[in-house]
């Protein structure tokens, strides 16, 4: 272990945590630096490298999602459908809501999906969150349907219902199943302006947010006491970057998708006799086999899966990661999240990684996933020999350049742009007190000496001295920079020569 790495680990408050490190030459497999490399550590979101690697192996980087709208009943010459329109969820994470004119996904450095976790840092993408829904509605209108006398139904039966960490993981996703709350501060003491997207009858927003002096902490909270009503309260500082982004989690993704689809149909000249609001009448669906045989009125085709891998890894997208196990399960004719996690574990075993070196509970890495630094580096070496390695490599944040590592080191640091790595963060309890449960970083280094390396760094269980959530977030951000400095040290001195 180099003196520089040891010094960074021994600094306060990091010395109180449990450390694990492995640095390996990619080509030869020679271990260059190591500390507690056979011990299991909480992975945080570095577990996404296991899930994305398995999904690329299973689905391939060119896989596309096809979301169809089919119809039952008959269509008259005047365009009157005596039957139902059915949108069949395909597991498309973005459904056009991030797709650029170039057919890629718009990936910010800090995504709205984490807006509430780290207030004041998130940005929203420029694309219309309803782009895919609007495209489908235009196609339905172009097919000749002018009136729907039946209902509009979302078919969410691609896999068995599942929630991870309280978030439904469903085959139909619109705007990450979030309502974006966009807050513009005024002068101190003045009300802040609150807007939201997408605009839909599914939700009304009651907002009362004040502006506090520059430099104060934001305290925005969005909750719902009655269905369809979002109550926004709190404050934002006068110097907050506008718009300050907060989000509200849609509790019923199928009902939400149904409402925005009906609204899009009506904007495109298709009237629907069924109520716009209300629950999704999934019980009225025929069997899945019967649905597959129905005539297709519209289909939305996604960008290739390589774009989704980039979104998941660059911004550590939890919902995107959690879609991967059921998608893999469906690809193998199975139907549960657990089936998909078993496929992931089988992939790792096939890669020669000791099954006892990891405990993988979910794909996002936030409910107890553990791995050894050796397992992580062995995975990275295996992926470097895979057919889709370029996709995987490009999906990782670049240290000092983009994604979750954009501002971890200075853009002018010699290591900037030479390290691709996945972050992991988890705040929880340790010995009855609030702690940084894990901070992790794992990936590839194109070292100064010309060698490509793989590395894994974990620190677990660093206490938060004040026991406050705000300070826990600050500690996590500081840890991100600390591990970034360690990766930069590996770039300069991969063999740890003192």
């Amino acid at each position: 272990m180099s003196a520089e790495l040891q010094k960074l680990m021994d600094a306060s408050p990091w010395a109180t945590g449990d450390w694990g490190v492995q640095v390996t030459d990619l080509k030869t497999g020679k271990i260059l630096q190591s500390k507690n490399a056979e011990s299991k550590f909480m992975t945080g979101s570095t577990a996404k490298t296991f899930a994305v690697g398995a999904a690329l192996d299973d689905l391939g980087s060119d896989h596309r999602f096809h979301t169809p709208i089919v119809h039952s009943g008959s269509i008259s010459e005047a365009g009157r459908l005596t039957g139902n329109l059915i949108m069949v969820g395909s597991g498309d994470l973005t459904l056009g809501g991030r797709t650029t004119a170039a057919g890629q996904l718009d990936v910010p450095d800090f995504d709205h999906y984490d807006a509430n976790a780290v207030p004041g840092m998130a940005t929203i993408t420029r694309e219309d969150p309803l782009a895919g829904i609007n495209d489908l509605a235009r196609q339905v209108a172009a097919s000749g349907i002018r009136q729907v006398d039946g209902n509009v139904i979302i078919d969410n039966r691609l896999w068995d219902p599942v929630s991870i960490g309280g978030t439904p993981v469903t085959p139909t996703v619109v705007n990450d199943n979030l309502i974006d709350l966009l807050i513009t501060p005024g002068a101190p003491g003045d009300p802040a302006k609150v807007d939201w997207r997408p605009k839909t009858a599914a939700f009304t927003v009651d907002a009362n947010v004040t502006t506090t002096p520059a430099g104060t902490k934001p305290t925005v909270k969005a909750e719902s006491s009655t269905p369809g009503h979002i109550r926004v309260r709190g404050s934002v500082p006068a110097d907050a970057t506008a718009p300050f982004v907060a989000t509200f989690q849609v509790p019923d993704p199928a009902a939400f998708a149904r409402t925005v689809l009906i609204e899009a149909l009506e904007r495109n000249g298709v009237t629907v006799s069924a109520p716009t609001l209300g629950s999704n009448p999934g019980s009225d669906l025929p069997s899945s086999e019967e649905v597959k045989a129905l005539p297709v009125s519209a289909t939305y085709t996604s960008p290739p899966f390589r774009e989704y891998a980039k979104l998941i890894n660059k911004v550590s997208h939890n919902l995107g990661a959690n879609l991967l196990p059921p998608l893999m399960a469906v690809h193998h004719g199975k139907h549960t999240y657990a089936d998909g996690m078993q496929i992931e574990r089988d992939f790792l075993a096939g890669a020669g990684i000791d099954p006892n070196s990891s405990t993988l509970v979910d794909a996002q890495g936030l409910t107890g996933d553990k791995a050894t630094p050796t397992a992580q580096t062995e995975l990275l070496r295996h992926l470097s020999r895979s057919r889709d390695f370029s996709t995987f490599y490009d999906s990782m944040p670049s240290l000092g350049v983009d994604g979750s590592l954009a501002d971890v080191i200075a853009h002018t640091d010699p290591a900037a742009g030479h390290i691709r790595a996945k972050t992991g963060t988890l705040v929880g309890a340790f010995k009855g007190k609030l702690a940084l449960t894990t901070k992790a970083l794992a990936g590839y280094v194109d070292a100064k000496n010309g060698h490509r390396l793989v590395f894994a760094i974990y620190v677990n269980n660093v206490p938060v001295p004040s026991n406050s959530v705000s300070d826990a977030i600050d500690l996590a951000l500081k840890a991100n920079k600390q591990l970034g400095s360690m990766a930069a040290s590996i770039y300069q001195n991969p063999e740890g020569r003192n």
Side-chain angles (χ1 to χ4, degrees), residues 190-251:
D190 288 347
K193 295 179 181 179
V194 180
D195 199 0
W196 61 95
R197 72 169 204 177
K199 290 291 178 62
T200 167
F203 294 99
T204 60
V205 176
D206 167 26
N208 185 0
V209 179
T210 58
T211 306
T212 53
T216 54
K217 296 278 188 181
T219 63
V220 176
K221 185 176 183 180
E223 56 189 359
S224 180
S225 56
T226 57
H229 178 81
I230 303 171
R231 185 176 184 270
V232 187
R233 295 291 186 271
S235 63
V236 293
D239 59 345
T241 301
F244 177 97
V245 181
T247 60
F248 173 78
Q249 175 74 53
V250 171

Side-chain angles (χ1 to χ4, degrees), residues 14-185:
W14 319 116
T16 59
D18 302 316
W19 284 93
V21 179
Q22 183 89 300
V23 182
T24 304
D25 187 285
L26 176 64
K27 184 176 180 180
T28 66
K30 179 183 177 182
I31 297 173
L32 305 178
Q33 301 191 61
S34 184
K35 183 182 182 71
N36 299 327
E38 303 304 323
S39 298
K40 284 186 183 179
F41 291 85
M42 297 287 286
T43 64
S45 286
T46 56
K48 292 180 174 71
T49 61
F50 294 82
V52 171
L56 281 170
D57 179 75
D58 199 58
L59 303 176
S61 61
D62 293 327
H63 176 83
R64 293 177 188 262
F65 302 93
H66 303 281
T67 303
I69 290 182
V70 300
H71 69 266
S72 62
S74 59
I75 304 172
S76 72
E77 290 185 6
R80 187 167 190 164
L81 172 62
T82 307
N84 297 326
L85 275 182
I86 301 168
M87 186 171 85
V88 184
S90 68
D92 187 340
L93 172 61
T94 67
L95 202 57
R98 296 173 182 262
T99 305
T100 68
Q104 300 173 324
L105 296 187
D106 193 347
V107 181
D109 287 338
F110 199 100
D111 192 57
H112 77 154
Y113 199 81
D114 288 318
N116 295 346
V118 187
M121 293 187 64
T123 57
I124 57 170
T125 58
R126 293 167 294 179
E127 291 72 32
D128 182 355
L130 299 179
I133 294 291
N134 290 333
D135 186 28
L136 285 164
R138 284 191 293 269
Q139 291 184 54
V140 170
S143 76
I145 296 175
R146 293 288 177 267
Q147 183 171 337
V148 179
D149 283 348
N151 215 325
V152 174
I153 311 176
I154 307 300
D155 187 342
N156 257 351
R157 298 176 296 179
L158 189 60
W159 56 73
D160 292 353
V162 61
S163 291
I164 304 296
T167 300
V169 181
T170 68
T172 306
V173 179
V174 178
N175 196 41
D176 296 324
N177 294 330
L178 299 174
I179 299 297
D180 295 318
L181 304 165
L182 312 176
I183 304 169
T184 302

Side-chain angles (χ1 to χ4, degrees), residues 246-268:
T247 60
F248 173 78
Q249 175 74 53
V250 171
D252 187 342
F256 175 54
R258 176 184 175 274
T259 292
V260 296
L261 177 56
I262 291 174
E263 291 170 333
L265 289 166
E266 293 180 340
R267 285 195 298 271
N268 284 275

Side-chain angles (χ1 to χ4, degrees), residues 454-483:
V454 292
F455 76 97
I457 305 172
Y458 300 101
V459 61
N460 283 183
N461 303 323
V462 180
V464 178
S466 68
N467 215 37
S468 79
V469 173
S470 176
D471 285 346
I473 293 171
D474 289 343
L475 185 63
L477 294 173
K478 289 176 183 176
N480 210 28
K481 290 184 178 292
Q482 192 76 356
L483 269 63

Side-chain angles (χ1 to χ4, degrees), residues 45-55 312-313 344 347-348 363 376 379-380 383 392 396 421-423 442-443 458:
S45 286
T46 56
K48 292 180 174 71
T49 61
F50 294 82
V52 171
I312 293 166
N313 276 340
E344 181 179 324
F347 161 74
L348 297 174
Q376 178 70 79
L379 169 72
L380 295 170
L383 292 174
F392 181 80
M396 303 276 269
K422 181 71 195 73
T423 56
Y458 300 101

